């Protein structure tokens, strides 16, 4: 007689019943899950309130601090731009903030350039928030070379050069040669305009940089906006430091592409080290 002949009929029945009970429980869980998912999908379909992730999760607008570092240009090694994007209304606002402005952050007082030396982009973020009484949602810190890469990825930025610009370095080598008139600037030309443009004081310089930011934002529009935004972000992020995630940028790009855009630049005024009350109010009200 083989070993298989010695089966306990009671044990076999218990095992079979136990397996049946387990499968019933599993089936019930699956059915409950399907009912929940379908019910949830129907709910969001009826209200059109599908939950979003990333920048748009809590609100339709986001304020972002851009910090650009330029190790090759000692006179102005850091550049700060504040941008507010509203993907619901399509109204965006930018302001270029002079690095000479003095503010306080984390018990450290000094110019924004000194704040950067002390604690990087996070320190500058806190200092700008303190200066203008605004809340900055995200920041991104990049070398200027990354900005050049992003603009080339975009295919250039259409901009009107106000006058012929030709500058030479101390060795007599031409470092920039831009011709007056409306044209499409590549990444290198874009940076040349920022670095070597003789705009006058800090406020005029900030105004011209804001104009460039407006031109850049306006270049990202239409049916290709999503691919352009994601493409630029992917082309620079490995060389940048940021609390912006891939999910953030993907959601923002989707909302931005659907909403279109208009861009307004805020012009600041005041002393070399501090904006006047009207400038502070303007930024506070728009960001």
């Amino acid at each position: 007689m083989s070993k298989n002949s010695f089966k306990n009929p009671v044990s076999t029945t218990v095992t079979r019943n136990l397996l049946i009970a387990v499968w019933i429980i599993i089936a019930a869980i699956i059915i409950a899950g399907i009912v929940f998912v379908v019910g949830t999908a129907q709910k969001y379909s009826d209200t059109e309130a599908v939950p979003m992730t990333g920048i748009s999760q809590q609100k339709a607008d986001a304020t972002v601090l851009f910090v650009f570092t330029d190790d090759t240009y000692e006179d102005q090694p850091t550049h700060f731009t504040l941008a507010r994007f509203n993907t619901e209304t399509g109204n965006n606002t930018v302001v270029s903030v002079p690095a000479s402005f003095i503010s306080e952050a984390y018990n450290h007082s000094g110019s924004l350039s000194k704040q950067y030396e002390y604690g990087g982009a996070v320190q500058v973020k806190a200092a700008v928030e303190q200066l203008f009484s605004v809340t900055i949602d995200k920041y991104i810190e990049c070398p200027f070379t990354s900005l050049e890469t992003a603009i080339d990825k975009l295919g250039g930025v259409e901009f009107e050069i106000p006058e012929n610009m030709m500058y030479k370095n101390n060795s007599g080598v031409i470092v920039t040669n831009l011709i007056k008139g409306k044209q499409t600037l590549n990444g290198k030309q874009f940076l040349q305009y920022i670095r070597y443009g003789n705009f006058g004081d800090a406020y005029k310089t900030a105004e011209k940089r804001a104009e460039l930011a407006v031109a850049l934002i306006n270049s990202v529009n239409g049916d290709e906006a999503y691919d352009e935004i994601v493409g630029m972000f992917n082309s620079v992020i490995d060389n940048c430091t940021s609390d912006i995630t891939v999910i953030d940028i993907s959601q923002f790009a989707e909302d931005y592409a659907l909403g279109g855009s208009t861009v307004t630049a805020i012009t600041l005024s005041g002393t070399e080290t501090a904006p006047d009350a009207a400038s502070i109010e303007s930024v506070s009200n728009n960001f």
Side-chain angles (χ1 to χ4, degrees):
M1 185 179 291
S2 67
K3 290 193 300 181
N4 291 337
S5 299
F6 294 98
K7 286 186 178 179
N8 187 332
V10 175
S11 176
T12 303
T13 302
V14 171
T15 301
R16 185 188 306 113
N17 291 340
L18 181 60
L19 287 173
I20 292 172
V22 169
W23 279 110
I24 290 173
I25 293 172
I26 293 174
I29 292 173
I30 293 173
I31 292 172
I34 293 173
V35 171
F36 174 79
V37 170
V38 171
T40 304
Q42 183 63 41
K43 173 186 174 183
Y44 289 132
S45 176
D46 290 342
T47 61
E48 296 185 355
V50 181
M52 296 297 186
T53 58
I55 286 178
S56 299
Q57 186 172 10
Q58 299 298 328
K59 56 181 182 177
D61 60 285
T63 298
V64 182
L65 174 68
F66 294 87
V67 178
F68 296 108
T69 57
D70 191 4
D71 294 336
T72 64
Y73 193 60
E74 296 181 357
D75 290 346
Q76 299 179 48
T78 52
H79 309 264
F80 308 114
T81 298
L82 203 56
R84 177 180 177 273
F85 301 98
N86 192 313
T87 57
E88 184 175 49
T89 64
N91 297 324
N92 308 303
T93 310
V94 298
V95 60
S96 178
V97 184
S100 58
F101 280 177
I102 292 176
S103 186
E104 184 174 341
Y106 304 123
N107 298 319
H108 182 79
S109 182
S111 67
L112 295 182
S113 59
K114 291 296 182 183
Q115 296 283 8
Y116 178 77
E117 292 176 9
Y118 185 77
V122 174
Q123 184 85 11
V124 175
K125 175 178 176 288
V128 173
E129 288 181 326
Q130 174 71 20
L131 181 63
F132 292 109
S133 298
V134 298
T135 298
I136 299 174
D137 301 293
K138 301 286 182 178
Y139 76 88
I140 183 166
E141 174 189 358
C142 297
F144 250 19
T145 51
S146 293
L147 181 58
E148 180 178 345
T149 299
I151 291 171
D152 286 339
K153 181 75 174 179
L154 179 63
V157 173
E158 193 173 79
F159 190 74
E160 184 161 355
I161 302 296
E163 59 185 16
N164 292 337
M165 295 172 56
M166 187 180 74
Y167 296 99
K168 300 179 181 180
N169 60 19
N170 294 332
S171 301
V173 177
I174 297 176
V175 293
T176 183
N177 187 16
L178 300 176
I179 306 301
K180 178 181 178 179
K182 193 171 186 178
Q183 56 199 281
T184 299
L185 302 180
N186 60 30
K188 183 177 181 180
Q189 292 170 323
F190 192 95
L191 298 193
Q192 287 175 343
Y193 184 81
I194 294 177
R195 283 171 173 159
Y196 304 108
N198 185 16
F199 305 128
D201 61 21
Y203 289 96
K204 194 65 175 176
T205 299
E207 180 182 347
K208 292 299 181 182
R209 289 177 180 165
E211 290 176 0
L212 274 176
V214 169
L216 176 56
I217 295 173
N218 280 333
S219 296
V220 184
N221 217 330
D223 296 338
E224 298 179 356
Y226 178 88
D227 291 337
E228 289 173 343
I229 293 171
V230 173
M232 285 193 297
F233 182 79
N234 289 337
S235 71
V236 304
I237 194 59
D238 287 345
N239 296 318
C240 299
T241 301
S242 179
D243 58 357
I244 299 175
T245 67
V246 174
I247 295 176
D248 285 335
I249 203 68
S250 180
Q251 184 62 65
F252 169 75
E254 181 179 347
D255 293 346
Y256 189 90
L258 292 174
S261 68
T262 58
V263 194
T264 302
I266 292 180
T267 301
L268 302 177
S269 58
T271 67
E272 183 177 352
T273 58
D276 56 26
S279 295
I280 293 174
E281 183 180 5
S282 180
V283 174
S284 179
N285 290 340
N286 284 282
F287 283 83

